[in-house]
Amino acid sequence: MRRLLQPLLLLLFLSLGQLASAADDVSILNAEKELAQAAETIESWDKETTLLEETEELRSRLFELQSAATECVSSLENDVQINKYKLEALGEKAEDEAAELKAQRKTLEEEGKQLNQKVAICRLALVDAEEQLDKIAAFRQDKISQQLTSRTTPAWAALKTFPADLRKHLASLAKDTEWLHAGWFWGILLSLIALLPAGIVVGRLLKDFEKRHAGDASLKVRARLAGMYGRRLPWVMLFVAIAATQALVGNTYGAYSFVMALALLTSPLLDYALCNERERCPASVPMRIFWTLSLFSLVMMLVPYAFPDSENTIVIAFRSLLGLFFLITAIWLVFSLSTYPEFSRYRGFRWPLVPLFMTGPLAYILGYHNFGIFFSRGMFGTLMVAVLGWLFYRTLVIALRPPSMGKGGGDTTDAEFDRFSMRRVVVLIIVSLASFLSALRLWQLTPRDTANLTHRLSQPFEIGDISLVPSKLFLGLVIFLLFWMIARLLQRTATNLLQTRDPASRGARQSFITLLAYVLITIGFLVSLSAAGLDLSNIAIIAGALSVGIGFGLQNIVSNYISGIILLFERPLRPGDWIR
């Protein structure tokens, strides 16, 4: 039975392998056909009628084909290399070699030819996909440039007819009395009857709590939050009732009521994170206003049919006023934040930011609506993301701070401070990365755009005989900085761990710690060079050339450095010694 099963299983595996190779061939042929169709589609595009969404769909598919072709080339080149190793293992071809060896060599040669043909097909598909992606990138760039530079009705021309258009719109609403018989109108009234009294009662209780504990230092923050929520809760219930009723009947304009409720609920938390028991908090009011405006703009961008698409006079006037509100609040917020100790060193950036903030609203008022919306969304959105990221980082750092790090911080040990510093660095990296990715989305840089940029950065360039890859150089720099940070952290930690009461061993301890830091930095330097793709033999040649320069021009510096290392080993002088 076992003898019968073995050949059957072998035939099954061979048939599956043939089916897999056939599937690969079919996928490659389909890719060639699909790339040809993509080329025809790109040629038929028109800047006036073709939408960017259509180009994004085709670009996403081409990125998938590019990734598949890259993987195909990588895997097949590995198979080709294995095939070469097998042929080399058979030795050189001889006329009197055995028939079995000849058959095996012939099979490997035919397999090598087929693999090379497949590699050529995959490389051709990769080159074709990259060529079509370059065409799409050029078309999208021209299309976006055309949209951003196109000029329509300026704001002052729209404001001339704005009063008449607004009166006409209000008159049409007054004549149309169907909203009195609509279910959403009576639903809002019933919701208000149910929710508004509860909001008033609970808000009154919270305000009473603020009055009772206003003088208590331990409950000062809670009392302030209770008072802010007590004053806002009736309004929150009002907007929640409107938003819930409109959402039930499918009216997207209820999203604005929900945004108002959300802004009222979150503004006390922003005030707490921003002020943090400060006596004066000048950035609190502009921060809350800017947060509310940002939520409104987010609804206008993301919720379908929540804002009219047509550029009529009412829409132009509303967006112009919204841009001006954003401009005033952003400048107010930046100048208020500059009074904080964390931003005192960046006060020189306040005035250069003012013309950047003015660019978007001013462009929209002049009639460049697409450019104004794009630039305003990027600048004001980036400011909002940066401030929220800073507040989130600041709140987490306060939460992670050891209890011993009070106002004075005198009871904090070095070990606790080191652990806190490490956590703070990790939080800073995570928050910075999340904020950076969010800002990229605000500037309409999609993951496909960043993937294309990553692909460009992974392409090598040559300086003489040395081939360098930008992404690998950046990776090498990051690795070196990481090793440098670890060395400094271990140096500080080792100082704490090797504390001793014997002053005589202080020099030995310091020598060991310093040499450990030097060894780690040296290892990090070598690892970073390897990660950057640099040949260490070339580095040895450069080091030999530098040694000649050191022998002539840097003798004193190198001699002082070596003398310091000798002092670390022999320790003729120790910390605490007096030199007369």
Side-chain angles (χ1 to χ4, degrees), residues 33-45 58 132 135:
K33 294 178 182 178
E34 194 170 357
L35 289 170
Q37 292 176 357
E40 295 178 359
T41 304
I42 295 171
E43 292 295 333
S44 63
W45 282 347
L58 183 57
Q132 303 308 321
K135 291 181 180 179

Side-chain angles (χ1 to χ4, degrees), residues 531-561:
L534 298 176
D535 191 0
L536 295 181
S537 61
N538 295 331
I539 302 299
I541 296 173
I542 296 174
L546 287 176
S547 63
V548 178
I550 290 172
F552 286 104
L554 301 177
Q555 293 180 2
N556 293 330
I557 296 175
V558 175
S559 63
N560 291 333
Y561 186 78

Side-chain angles (χ1 to χ4, degrees), residues 78 170 184 205 207 315 352 393 439 480 562 577:
N78 188 27
L170 294 176
W184 63 267
L205 294 175
K207 287 189 287 186
V315 171
Y393 164 74
F480 177 74
I562 300 298
D577 292 345

Side-chain angles (χ1 to χ4, degrees), residues 321-379:
L321 292 175
L322 183 64
L324 292 177
F325 277 127
F326 261 116
L327 172 62
I328 296 171
T329 312
I331 296 174
W332 185 9
L333 178 61
V334 168
F335 276 77
S336 300
L337 287 175
S338 65
T339 61
Y340 282 67
E342 296 93 328
F343 299 104
S344 59
R345 68 182 68 178
Y346 305 113
R347 289 180 182 176
F349 292 97
R350 295 178 299 176
W351 291 106
L353 284 175
V354 172
L356 291 176
F357 289 150
M358 293 176 60
T359 302
L362 185 61
Y364 190 88
I365 291 173
L366 291 175
Y368 298 96
H369 295 168
N370 293 325
F371 178 77
I373 293 173
F374 168 77
F375 201 83
S376 298
R377 176 167 50 196
M379 284 300 302

Side-chain angles (χ1 to χ4, degrees), residues 42 45 55 58-59 62 132-140:
I42 295 171
W45 282 347
T55 65
L58 183 57
R59 188 170 67 152
L62 286 175
Q132 303 308 321
L133 284 171
D134 290 338
K135 291 181 180 179
I136 292 179
F139 179 84
R140 285 174 60 87

